Amino acid sequence: MTLPEKKSADEKKTGPENPESFRFTEQFRILLECGVRVHDELEAAAILILVNGPGDWGRLRSVVGQRRVIIASERLAYLSGAAEIGFSTVAVNLPTSSPYDRITEALLESVTEELLTRGQRVIALYGLFEPSSVDSLSVIRLSDHLARLTVRDLRELNTSIPIETVKLVINLAVEIGQEGREGKPVGAIFVVGDSRKVLSQTRPLGFDPVRGYSKHEKNLFDPRVREGVKEIAQLDGACIIAEDGTILAACRHIDCSASDIVLSKGLGARHWAAAAITRKTKAVAVCVSESSGTVRVFFNGECRFRIEPQMRRPLLWRESTRD
């Protein structure tokens, strides 16, 4: 649902506000009242509002009553005072991303903070067309998006790489996303399968930490090897993994063009490289975000799965078809 912008009587009297402020316009009031009605009809768990400036929290509370409200914003300063009114708050660190990505991040943060749980409905209010206003309303069923990663999900990749190997690498990536290294977040990229072609599309960055070891000493099915790889993950470059789980090379620069790749805003060079190598080969790439620990699985140039390791049990976020 989207409404055209319409200023309130108060706003007309005082003149336009700072574009960086969160305005309580007539449009927002109508959307909010509609969101309250939908919330009650569907027995939703909360109303989530993505704001881009400080708000009139008292006025907002007068409309929503005692219903649970979660205020999300990219800046902590914009959340100031909301908690004192009784609203929950979450920070969204994706300033250049699309509204969909920011809503997704806000929902995942809310689940992480145990403000929401799987299976609940949420009414989301956000700015889709005008960043400086709230113009859209969506009903989001978390059960449609949040789930455990299963073997059945991995089979949907329709790859010839053994599922056991893909699952092993994803589990390793999740552990890296959860633990980091020496208390610091760590980014990493693993490229699995189609090894000969992958190696031809990459080049060494310098020293290869796995060179000279026997095949047995480089197999990820050995727990000791997986622990060693967590150390290697701190180094730049990708780990190239054969279909049987053997690490063929590490610290490799992916030398593929990403000109025909389309990804969500906010993803870094590591994610573009993962998408590019899977477009050029039949490999699966597993990427760990250094900033958030999020694990993304790429195949055929697309992000197929997004896994949030920071929750008590890692959850798979199923992307919308519009993303």
Side-chain angles (χ1 to χ4, degrees), residues 45-51 60 67-73 79 82 86-91 106-107 109-111 114-116 120 122-123 125:
I47 298 173
L48 173 69
I49 306 175
L50 185 64
V51 303
L60 182 58
R67 297 168 184 84
R68 167 170 280 189
V69 174
I70 301 173
I71 307 296
S73 181
L79 302 175
F87 297 144
S88 301
T89 60
V90 294
L107 290 170
E109 286 293 332
S110 297
V111 174
E114 299 184 348
L115 302 174
L116 299 170
Q120 293 182 322
V122 180
I123 310 304
L125 300 176

Side-chain angles (χ1 to χ4, degrees), residues 299-313:
F299 184 64
N300 195 27
E302 300 176 349
C303 178
R304 301 294 295 273
F305 301 121
R306 169 178 169 170
I307 305 163
E308 297 299 326
Q310 300 301 342
M311 300 176 185
R312 290 184 177 180
R313 292 184 179 180

Side-chain angles (χ1 to χ4, degrees), residues 74-92:
E74 295 146 9
R75 300 187 185 180
L76 292 176
Y78 292 167
L79 302 175
S80 178
E84 285 77 0
I85 299 294
F87 297 144
S88 301
T89 60
V90 294
V92 180

Side-chain angles (χ1 to χ4, degrees), residues 262-263 267 275 296-299 301-306 319:
V262 178
L263 293 180
L267 297 182
R296 289 178 172 86
V297 180
F298 292 86
F299 184 64
E302 300 176 349
C303 178
R304 301 294 295 273
F305 301 121
R306 169 178 169 170
E319 301 287 357

Side-chain angles (χ1 to χ4, degrees), residues 104-251:
T104 297
E105 191 71 16
L107 290 170
L108 288 168
E109 286 293 332
S110 297
V111 174
T112 301
E113 296 296 326
E114 299 184 348
L115 302 174
L116 299 170
T117 60
R118 292 173 59 200
Q120 293 182 322
R121 281 191 179 97
V122 180
I123 310 304
L125 300 176
Y126 53 95
L128 180 60
F129 298 102
E130 295 288 342
S132 61
S133 66
V134 175
D135 56 31
S136 301
L137 181 153
S138 295
V139 178
I140 301 171
R141 298 174 180 82
L142 292 180
S143 59
D144 292 345
H145 294 280
L146 289 172
R148 308 293 183 211
L149 183 66
T150 66
V151 171
R152 182 177 179 181
D153 294 321
L154 296 179
R155 288 200 179 103
E156 291 178 1
L157 291 175
N158 196 26
T159 173
S160 61
I161 304 169
I163 296 299
E164 293 77 12
T165 302
V166 176
K167 185 177 180 181
L168 180 73
V169 175
I170 291 175
N171 288 340
L172 173 61
V174 167
E175 289 178 14
I176 292 173
Q178 286 177 326
E179 303 165 5
R181 216 62 190 154
E182 297 180 355
K184 297 180 180 180
V186 172
I189 178 171
F190 303 96
V191 185
V192 189
D194 202 5
S195 305
R196 182 175 297 180
K197 191 170 183 180
V198 168
L199 287 171
S200 71
Q201 297 287 331
T202 64
R203 55 183 172 81
L205 285 171
F207 170 70
D208 185 345
V210 301
R211 186 175 182 180
Y213 288 91
S214 68
K215 186 175 181 180
H216 175 73
E217 293 173 310
K218 298 189 293 184
N219 195 285
L220 287 176
F221 283 93
D222 184 336
R224 294 171 298 179
V225 175
R226 292 199 297 275
E227 285 301 312
V229 170
K230 291 178 183 180
E231 296 293 338
I232 295 174
Q234 301 178 75
L235 305 175
D236 290 335
C239 285
I240 312 303
I241 302 170
E243 294 185 355
D244 65 354
T246 302
I247 305 174
L248 301 178
C251 299

